[in-house]
Amino acid sequence: RVRGMRLTVRLLLGLVLGVSLLIGAVVLVLDRRLYSRVATEQMQQLQSEARLLATQWTVASQADALADAAGAATGHRVTLIDVSGRVVGDSHFDGERLAALENHRERPEVAAALRGVEGRARRVSASAGDEELYVATRTPLGVTRVSLKTAAIDDVFARTRADILLLGLGAIGAVTILG
């Protein structure tokens, strides 16, 4: 009888270990492959928005009003930068705060766009202080740039990780009870 219990305990521990390894593998795949894929798709979305915005920005438009409207419509930060690198419109900054923004000419994504290459970057925003994904596109008036806080993506993955871990604990509990 004691020998049979030892076998049962070993089988139960094996099942718990197997479920734990499976949970770990799922979280690892989720973090590496899926995160990369989602970030790439977000960059493509930002690229589409920056290109569309580039067609809307004309000499007749008020740059800051256009940035505010586009930012409200997309839910992303929108920045319009003239050819000298001066920010002339930003959906997150108005008035004095907009005028106080430093020159953006040397920002990696803006510098690339000013050279005629679509600019992309993932970096901490010197203006807003958070990590963002950026896409910038050249226009006749300068550069349209659209960005997304990486925290938005990170939050989705953190909630998904928590759900997987909770389900995994439930599976381990079920194995333990039914084992």
Side-chain angles (χ1 to χ4, degrees):
R1 187 142 178 99
V2 173
R3 188 168 178 80
M5 289 184 80
R6 284 188 182 165
L7 179 61
T8 303
V9 170
R10 282 189 285 169
L11 288 172
L12 181 60
L13 288 175
L15 286 171
V16 169
L17 179 63
V19 170
S20 299
L21 290 173
L22 182 61
I23 292 167
V26 168
V27 169
L28 188 64
V29 168
L30 175 77
D31 277 355
R32 289 198 180 168
R33 290 188 181 173
L34 191 56
Y35 188 94
S36 175
R37 174 70 181 188
V38 168
T40 299
E41 287 180 6
Q42 286 295 324
M43 283 289 216
Q44 290 170 343
Q45 177 67 32
L46 294 174
Q47 179 182 47
S48 296
E49 292 170 9
R51 287 177 178 171
L52 178 61
L53 185 59
T55 67
Q56 303 300 308
W57 187 19
T58 64
V59 176
S61 59
Q62 293 183 354
D64 195 41
L66 176 60
D68 291 343
T74 62
H76 298 138
R77 181 177 174 198
V78 171
T79 309
L80 302 177
I81 303 153
D82 72 13
V83 293
S84 71
R86 184 174 64 93
V87 177
V88 293
D90 192 300
S91 59
H92 286 172
F93 298 94
D94 288 314
E96 290 179 16
R97 291 178 62 209
L98 176 65
L101 289 175
E102 64 186 39
N103 190 291
H104 281 40
R105 187 173 186 78
E106 300 302 318
R107 305 282 167 90
E109 69 283 357
V110 175
L114 286 170
R115 289 191 311 271
V117 178
E118 194 147 72
R120 292 177 174 223
R122 179 183 182 142
R123 61 177 178 77
V124 174
S125 168
S127 305
D130 53 5
E131 186 181 66
E132 298 187 29
L133 297 175
Y134 294 95
V135 174
T137 300
R138 182 76 161 102
T139 76
L141 299 176
V143 173
T144 58
R145 184 181 74 174
V146 183
S147 64
L148 168 70
K149 294 178 182 184
T150 59
I153 299 171
D154 294 341
D155 288 346
V156 169
F157 278 84
R159 286 192 308 267
T160 303
R161 253 185 252 110
D163 290 345
I164 291 169
L165 292 173
L166 186 61
L167 288 170
L169 288 174
I172 289 171
V175 164
T176 303
I177 293 169
L178 300 174

